[in-house]
């Protein structure tokens, strides 16, 4: 990592403050970004990283403070101002038009297509950009046909197309596979060597450690800015949470016992009636966490949907606690005490316009404990919300603030709080730590282990292989809808897992009971 | 019933359909652009009424139908600023704003009608004349149906092509559609969502002004308060039934127009079925279409959702 010889400040932020009602999302933030550096923003969920980025992009107007760009005070009243100055941004949540093609999403609003939408010039430019970055994507497909990973590439292409001098990337890797993240980092280092500056937001330490400098935010304030070269993952984490984070490991003295969930030859069709699940069989016992490892898009989502009763299995079936489940509905699965953490928080996990309290009882709103006669018991809901907000450390102005206003990680905590509260017996978690800060993801891991100790059967899909290795009793690897094998973490290396995830046929099919 | 299908009568019915479709086409194409920009402007009915009233007043005082048309269109463009202000600046519920505008228009019209029109000698006014397209109007059968119409009708029939071209083949059309699908996607590119929605609302109202003025100046000889008779609502239905695609919307409108033309002629010919039955046909058809064509795959995703950053 070569640092530029002449330290030149591209961006200077002085005392920036941004409030939402009573919450100060950014409280006197000062920050310098040098020319040609990758500057990481690191901090807890709700620390104000996205808000700061949005202020730098002119999307939000800071209440006070000064932004100096290339030596001149910048008036950032709208993204137009930022783009004119050469500041580009990739937002934390996709900002795409789902029924436009990839190319249309990139060119809409750009000035070089002409009145009559002459796309050929723009297409050449985008194709060149793709080649340069090694992005392989069909420009004529519509967004809804793409996987989340591909959609993320479109967002990145959009930003690159405008050719910014300072690029802000707000959690670009949250939905990318580790391989895709590596590719993004190659693109980033290419940009850095061309003298561009990048502000990168990530919760993954592996990625944070690849930056030049890290600014740590806590509760809207800057805690410190450190050179990455002189720091360790531990020291940065400690700065962020104020204490050391201990990684929990499952308690091996508790042995899984008694089949709880068992799948036999489950097959299912996808949204375009392609085969997404092929003969999936496995069992999960009480006191057991079964990991599901695999590159996103290999059938994990559909597997969870089948188990939740929202997607029909085309053949095969499963049983719960010895009882065969025939043609399940999601209502039935909820009543049987299945907790489910879906991977798309705003689409499937929450009602964005509802507050935390209402989202906490979603699906259980008819349960007697939340009702008074035919009405919701507001008082009880309020009490519950207060308790869970504290327990899960949700940062929110009030229990009634629409969850769409929460930071990404805090929204995730609301889902977790709900599912951990209501599940009895089986917990299905698809990427539960996605978008969570280091401390919060450890908190989730701890909660999962608590459930395991309490006798739950847990199915946990995650792209964090380290987490799987320490939490799971066994890990099933899924590739193209097929279980490649089920292995024990203590008998397997990360390399083996990686090879199985890539569908390596050389690996003899292994399954442990 | 059979006599309806004989030569001259058939021609008359089809020519009637073209005439009846004219104001609907204007309003529908305008409203389509507005809705593609994400605004549910249900004030079509009221705006058409306003256009008709203004056209009537100006035509009967100045005697010039073209001046009347201009005034009607300008008035509708102006009134659209209210809608824009309420929905874009104040970010109020678009449905309620549209309803309010409709109530306002019909209330004021009734008031004006009872105070200034009723009981007086109806003023003379000149509407638009028929314009026969040279040569084309001599084609047997098609000529009298398509090419012996009012000038505005020819424009109305070109309008869907123009709107289609605008929406799908121009940069501004792409931007308008983007606003209707996901306004933030345009906002983060540094382009104004509000201005585009404001212009789209204005275009919609302007076209409704054409529609209302044509209803008045095209074929009527006097003003009646229920001149529009739910046509503004038919337009909204046509857009939903047409799944927000220009040519399908046109198809729905032709169905309505044909049924109304049949109803009128049935009355003239004197079929034994009560003619009220025929008069409700377009409205029944609108219900049937809505129930039958439930696909809303092209409904703009952000339709009716006010946009704000924070
Ligand atoms: N539009 C809004 N209205 C009200 N409060 C908001 C709004 N946007 C953000 N906040 C609040 O501001 C704080 C900072 O949010 P922000 O999204 O910047 O966090 P973040 O650091 O990006 O977190 P994450 O890692 O979870 O994405 C949070 O407490 C959040 O609830
Ligand atoms: Mg964020």
């Amino acid at each position: 990592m070569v640092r530029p010889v002449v330290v030149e400040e591209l961006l200077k932020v002085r005392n920036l403050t941004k409030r939402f009602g009573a919450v100060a999302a950014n409280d006197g933030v000062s920050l310098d970004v040098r020319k040609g550096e990758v500057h990481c923003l690191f901090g807890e969920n709700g620390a104000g990283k996205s808000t700061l980025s949005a202020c730098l992009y002119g999307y939000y107007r800071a209440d006070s403070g000064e932004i100096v760009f290339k030596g001149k005070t910048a008036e950032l009243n709208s993204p137009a101002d930022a783009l004119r100055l050469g500041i580009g941004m990739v937002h934390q949540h996709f900002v795409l038009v789902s029924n436009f093609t990839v190319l249309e999403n990139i060119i809409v609003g750009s000035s070089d297509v002409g009145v009559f939408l002459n796309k050929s010039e723009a297409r050449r430019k985008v194709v060149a950009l793709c080649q340069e970055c090694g992005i392989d994507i069909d420009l004529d497909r519509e967004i809804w046909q793409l996987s989340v990973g591909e959609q993320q590439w479109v967002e990145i292409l959009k930003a690159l197309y405008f050719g910014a001098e300072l690029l802000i990337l707000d959690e670009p890797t949250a939905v990318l596979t580790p391989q895709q993240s590596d590719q993004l980092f190659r693109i980033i280092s290419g940009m850095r060597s061309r003298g561009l500056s990048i502000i990168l937001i990530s919760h993954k330490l592996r990625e944070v450690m690849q930056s030049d400098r890290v600014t740590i935010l806590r509760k809207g304030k800057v805690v410190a800015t450190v050179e990455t070269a002189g720091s360790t993952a531990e020291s940065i984490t400690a700065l962020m949470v104020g204490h050391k984070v201990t990684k929990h490991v499952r308690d091996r003295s508790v042995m899984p016992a008694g089949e709880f969930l068992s799948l036999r030859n489950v097959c299912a069709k996808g949204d375009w009636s392609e085969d997404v699940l092929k003969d999936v069989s496995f069992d999960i016992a009480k006191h057991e966490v079964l990991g599901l490892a695999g590159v996103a898009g290999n059938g994990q989502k559909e597997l969870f949907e089948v188990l939740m009763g929202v997607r029909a299995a085309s053949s095969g079936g499963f049983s719960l606690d010895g009882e065969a489940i025939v043609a399940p509905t999601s209502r039935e699965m909820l009543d049987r005490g299945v907790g489910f953490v879906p991977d798309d928080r705003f689409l499937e996990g929450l009602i964005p316009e509802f507050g935390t309290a209402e989202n906490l009882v979603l699906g259980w709103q008819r349960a007697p404990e939340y009702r008074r006669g035919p009405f919701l018991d507001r008082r009880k809901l309020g009490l519950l919300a207060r308790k869970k907000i504290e327990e899960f450390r949700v940062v929110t102005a009030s229990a009634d603030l629409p969850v769409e206003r929460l930071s990404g990680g805090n929204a995730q905590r609301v889902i977790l709080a709900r599912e951990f509260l209501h599940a009895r017996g089986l917990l299905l978690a698809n990427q539960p730590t996605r978008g969570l800060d280091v401390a919060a993801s450890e908190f989730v891991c701890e909660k999962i282990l608590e459930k395991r100790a309490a006798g739950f059967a847990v199915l946990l899909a995650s792209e964090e292989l380290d987490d799987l290795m320490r939490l799971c009793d066994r890990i099933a690897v899924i590739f193209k809808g097929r279980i490649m094998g089920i292995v024990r973490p203590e008998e397997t290396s990360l390399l083996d897992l990686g090879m199985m995830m890539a569908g390596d046929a050389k690996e003899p099919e292994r399954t442990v009971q | 019933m059979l006599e309806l299908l004989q030569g001259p009568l058939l021609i008359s019915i089809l020519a009637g359909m073209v005439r009846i479709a004219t104001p609907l086409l204007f309003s529908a194409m305008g409203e389509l652009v507005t809705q593609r920009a994400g605004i549910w402007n249900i004030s079509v009915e009221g705006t058409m009424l306003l256009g008709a009233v203004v056209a009537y007043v100006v035509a009967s005082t100045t005697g010039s139908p073209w001046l009347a048309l201009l005034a009607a269109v300008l008035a509708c463009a102006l009134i659209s600023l209210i809608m824009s202000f309420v929905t874009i600046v104040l970010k109020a519920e678009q449905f309620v704003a549209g309803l309010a505008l409709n109530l306002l228009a019909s209330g004021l019209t009734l008031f004006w009608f009872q105070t200034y029109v009723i009981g007086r000698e109806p003023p003379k006014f000149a509407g638009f004349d028929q314009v026969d397209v040279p040569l084309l109007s001599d084609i047997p059968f098609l000529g009298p149906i398509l090419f012996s119409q009012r000038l505005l009708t020819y424009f109305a029939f070109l309008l869907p092509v123009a709107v289609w071209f605008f929406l799908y083949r121009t940069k501004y059309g792409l931007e308008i559609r983007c606003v209707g699908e996901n306004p933030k996607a345009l906002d983060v590119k540094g382009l104004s969502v509000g201005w585009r929605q404001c212009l789209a609302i204005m275009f919609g109202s302007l076209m409704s002004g054409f529609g209302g003025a044509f209803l008045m100046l095209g074929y009527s000889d006097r003003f009646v308060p229920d001149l529009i008779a739910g046509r503004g609502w038919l337009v909204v239905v046509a857009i939903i039934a047409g799944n927000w695609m220009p040519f399908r919307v046109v198809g729905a409108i032709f169905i309505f127009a044909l049924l109304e033309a049949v109803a009128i002629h049935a009355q003239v010919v004197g079929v034994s079925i009560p003619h009220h039955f025929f008069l409700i046909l377009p409205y029944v058809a609108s219900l049937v279409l809505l129930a039958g064509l439930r696909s809303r795959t092209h409904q703009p995703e952000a339709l009716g959702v006010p946009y704000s950053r924070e």
Side-chain angles (χ1 to χ4, degrees):
Chain A
M1 216 147 286
V2 192
R3 245 184 298 134
V5 189
V6 198
V7 175
E8 211 185 309
E9 248 101 55
L10 181 71
L11 174 80
K12 275 198 253 198
V13 179
R14 288 290 167 267
N15 280 319
L16 187 140
T17 298
K18 173 73 189 167
R19 295 178 176 281
F20 295 108
V23 182
N26 290 146
D27 189 357
V29 170
S30 297
L31 175 82
D32 293 326
V33 179
R34 297 172 184 159
K35 200 168 176 328
E37 90 166 335
V38 177
H39 195 118
C40 199
L41 294 183
F42 191 64
E44 298 177 317
N45 296 128
K49 304 175 298 292
S50 296
T51 306
L52 177 60
S53 315
C55 288
L56 296 180
Y57 190 57
Y59 188 75
Y60 288 157
R61 279 195 64 171
D63 298 327
S64 64
E66 192 188 20
I67 299 170
V68 180
F69 191 72
K70 288 204 252 179
K72 280 201 277 293
T73 302
E75 274 298 323
L76 294 169
N77 293 322
S78 102
D81 297 328
L83 287 167
R84 208 173 310 119
L85 288 174
I87 303 176
M89 173 152 174
V90 170
H91 296 258
Q92 182 171 8
H93 297 109
F94 294 139
V95 192
L96 297 168
V97 179
S98 65
N99 57 11
F100 277 15
T101 64
V102 173
L103 187 64
E104 283 171 337
N105 267 287
I106 296 171
I107 63 175
V108 65
S110 94
S111 52
D112 49 23
V113 282
V115 175
F116 296 116
L117 274 190
N118 184 359
K119 294 183 194 162
S120 56
E121 180 59 31
R123 183 185 296 271
R124 251 197 306 280
K125 220 169 129 184
V126 178
V127 168
L129 202 59
C130 287
Q131 269 167 0
E132 192 185 313
C133 303
I135 299 172
D136 177 30
I137 199 162
D138 182 353
L139 297 183
D140 296 312
R141 285 228 284 172
E142 293 186 358
I143 298 299
W144 59 270
Q145 299 172 302
L146 305 181
S147 69
V148 279
E150 288 173 302
Q151 294 184 24
Q152 187 68 65
W153 285 128
V154 180
E155 283 288 12
I156 290 162
L157 281 172
K158 263 170 64 179
L160 295 179
Y161 184 80
F162 269 86
E165 257 176 88
L166 170 67
L167 188 60
I168 306 167
L169 301 169
D170 193 352
E171 294 195 40
T173 57
V175 296
L176 295 184
T177 62
Q179 293 80 359
Q180 289 171 323
S181 301
D182 289 344
Q183 192 186 345
L184 178 63
F185 272 86
R186 279 195 295 278
I187 297 174
I188 289 176
S189 66
M191 291 166 60
R192 172 168 55 185
S193 57
R194 273 182 281 137
L196 306 181
S197 308
I198 287 119
I199 293 180
L200 176 78
I201 299 173
S202 174
H203 289 298
K204 300 179 186 170
L205 280 162
R206 193 172 68 92
E207 297 169 1
V208 174
M209 296 313 290
Q210 294 183 49
S211 65
D212 297 306
R213 291 195 301 162
V214 185
T215 291
I216 296 118
L217 289 166
R218 199 194 301 160
K219 300 208 169 77
K221 291 198 174 77
V222 172
V223 179
T225 298
V226 297
E227 302 274 342
T228 317
S231 317
T232 61
E234 288 73 32
S235 66
I236 289 175
T237 311
L239 278 172
M240 174 189 120
V241 287
H243 57 83
K244 226 173 135 344
V245 176
T246 37
K247 300 253 172 187
H248 295 78
V249 180
R250 73 177 194 286
D251 177 3
R252 297 214 191 160
S253 65
V254 179
M255 294 293 285
E259 293 313 329
F260 195 73
L261 173 73
S262 93
L263 277 77
R264 286 294 167 266
N265 304 84
V266 170
C267 298
K269 302 258 184 232
D271 292 342
W272 292 281
S273 46
E274 76 285 17
D275 293 315
V276 280
L277 291 178
K278 298 159 195 158
D279 278 327
V280 173
S281 303
F282 57 74
D283 302 302
I284 312 180
K286 292 174 186 161
H287 296 290
E288 179 173 47
V289 179
L290 179 75
L292 187 64
V295 175
N298 274 292
Q300 294 95 320
K301 189 180 178 64
E302 288 82 1
L303 177 58
F304 281 96
E305 287 174 350
V306 167
L307 292 175
M308 259 334 272
V310 290
R311 180 181 296 274
S314 50
S315 69
F318 62 99
S319 64
L320 197 65
D321 207 7
E323 220 180 305
I325 309 284
V326 187
T329 60
S330 52
R331 179 77 258 158
E332 180 186 347
M333 298 318 288
L334 287 181
D335 288 343
R336 284 175 184 273
V338 181
F340 175 42
V341 180
D343 66 337
D344 192 327
R345 54 179 89 116
F346 282 117
L347 207 61
E348 290 162 12
L350 297 166
I351 310 273
E353 297 83 9
F354 285 9
T356 302
E358 285 163 334
N359 270 299
L360 275 175
V361 299
L362 213 62
W364 283 272
Q365 67 278 12
R366 297 189 189 168
E369 64 258 41
Y370 302 130
R371 278 192 297 145
R372 219 171 38 202
F375 305 107
L376 278 176
D377 189 337
R378 287 269 151 199
R379 204 182 51 85
K380 268 194 199 149
L381 245 58
L383 281 178
L384 174 76
R386 215 159 321 136
K387 203 168 113 210
K388 289 296 152 185
I389 285 173
E390 194 180 304
E391 183 186 344
F392 283 78
R393 278 167 258 151
V394 181
V395 183
T396 175
S398 86
D400 296 319
L401 184 76
V403 291
E404 65 186 342
R405 299 288 191 216
L406 298 192
S407 80
N410 280 301
Q412 182 73 8
R413 292 176 201 213
V414 177
I415 303 180
L416 292 166
R418 178 183 66 216
E419 300 303 324
F420 278 101
L421 172 65
H422 295 100
R424 306 183 310 270
L426 177 64
L427 186 66
L428 306 170
N430 194 1
Q431 310 287 352
T433 59
R434 176 177 279 175
L436 292 190
D437 64 51
V438 182
S441 19
E442 198 43 50
F443 174 74
V444 171
C445 294
E446 195 187 336
K447 286 278 168 189
I448 287 177
L449 290 179
E450 264 173 31
K451 292 293 175 197
R452 176 181 179 270
F456 274 58
V458 181
L459 178 64
L460 170 67
S462 177
E463 270 164 14
E464 304 295 332
L465 297 183
D466 292 329
D467 288 350
L468 290 182
M469 294 294 259
R470 65 193 164 97
L471 298 177
C472 299
D473 295 280
R474 293 176 302 148
I475 301 174
V477 183
I478 192 166
F479 176 73
K480 294 204 168 148
R482 211 179 277 285
I483 299 291
M484 302 302 290
I486 300 178
V487 296
R488 282 188 204 289
E490 53 275 14
E491 298 162 359
T492 317
S493 69
L494 278 175
L495 196 67
D496 288 345
L497 270 187
M499 282 176 32
M500 288 169 78
M501 282 165 64
D504 198 333
K506 273 175 282 174
E507 182 74 16
E509 193 165 306
R510 304 193 303 190
T511 295
V512 291
Q513 280 308 314
Chain B
M1 202 65 190
L2 267 183
E3 56 267 46
L4 285 179
L5 298 176
Q6 281 163 11
L9 194 59
L10 184 61
I11 288 177
S12 174
I13 289 177
L14 292 180
M17 174 185 98
V18 169
R19 167 173 62 85
I20 291 163
T22 301
L24 297 176
L25 281 176
F26 276 121
S27 302
M29 289 302 117
E31 176 69 2
L32 180 63
V33 171
T34 307
Q35 291 205 6
R36 289 310 287 258
I39 304 278
W40 254 118
N41 185 358
I42 55 162
S43 71
V44 186
E45 178 88 5
T47 312
M48 287 178 83
L49 186 58
L50 176 76
V53 170
V54 172
Y56 173 76
V57 172
V58 176
S60 52
T61 46
T62 67
S64 159
W66 292 105
L67 216 54
L69 177 70
L70 185 72
V73 166
L74 283 182
C76 291
L78 264 179
I79 205 84
S80 84
L81 293 179
I82 298 182
M83 187 73 191
S84 294
F85 180 74
V86 173
T87 58
I88 300 170
V89 182
L90 302 182
K91 303 190 192 306
E93 184 74 39
Q94 296 168 13
F95 232 76
V96 178
L99 274 182
L101 224 57
N102 279 334
L103 289 176
L104 187 74
S106 73
L108 285 180
T109 304
L110 268 180
F111 171 75
W112 162 81
F113 185 73
Q114 287 181 344
T115 333
Y116 297 106
V117 185
I118 252 177
R120 303 184 187 201
E121 177 73 11
K124 295 238 172 316
F125 77 94
F128 293 119
D129 293 326
Q130 182 172 318
V131 178
D132 292 327
V133 183
L135 298 177
L136 291 178
S137 58
D138 298 330
I139 305 175
F141 194 70
L142 284 183
I145 295 173
L146 292 177
F147 301 108
S148 294
Q149 298 280 355
R150 308 293 195 262
L151 196 59
L152 280 184
T153 301
Y154 304 128
F155 285 123
F157 275 69
L158 292 179
L159 194 57
V161 182
V163 163
W164 174 85
F165 187 82
F166 169 76
L167 283 178
Y168 294 98
R169 288 290 180 272
T170 71
K171 171 179 152 178
Y172 305 111
L174 188 71
E175 290 169 10
I176 288 283
R177 284 190 289 136
C178 184
V179 169
E181 297 289 341
N182 186 351
K184 191 175 175 184
L186 202 71
D187 192 17
V188 298
K189 300 245 182 144
L191 297 183
S192 164
V193 170
W195 271 115
R196 281 168 181 77
Q197 290 188 323
C198 178
L199 289 176
I201 292 176
M202 185 172 278
F203 176 76
S205 291
L206 223 124
M207 288 295 131
S208 288
F210 270 99
F214 183 84
L215 266 180
M216 188 69 244
L217 302 169
Y219 292 90
S220 318
D221 47 6
R222 66 197 147 88
F223 183 84
V224 287
D226 66 342
L227 181 76
I228 311 297
R231 286 182 178 82
W233 295 106
L234 280 185
V235 159
V236 175
V237 170
I239 289 172
I240 300 172
N243 202 358
W244 288 266
M245 292 190 274
F247 297 121
R248 290 207 194 182
V249 173
V250 173
I253 282 175
F254 280 173
I255 294 176
F256 297 152
L258 179 66
L259 289 172
E260 200 182 325
V262 168
I264 292 170
H265 285 80
Q267 211 173 332
V268 175
V269 176
V271 224
S272 54
I273 305 168
H275 82 271
H276 292 102
F277 169 78
F278 285 98
L279 288 180
I280 61 166
L281 277 182
Y283 307 96
V284 172
S286 73
L287 280 179
V288 171
L289 276 184
L290 274 190
L293 306 172
R294 268 168 308 177
S295 159
R296 288 190 166 202
T297 44
H298 288 252
Q299 173 173 350
E301 222 153 284
L303 184 56
V305 188
Y307 177 68
S308 63
R309 283 191 192 158
E310 294 186 16

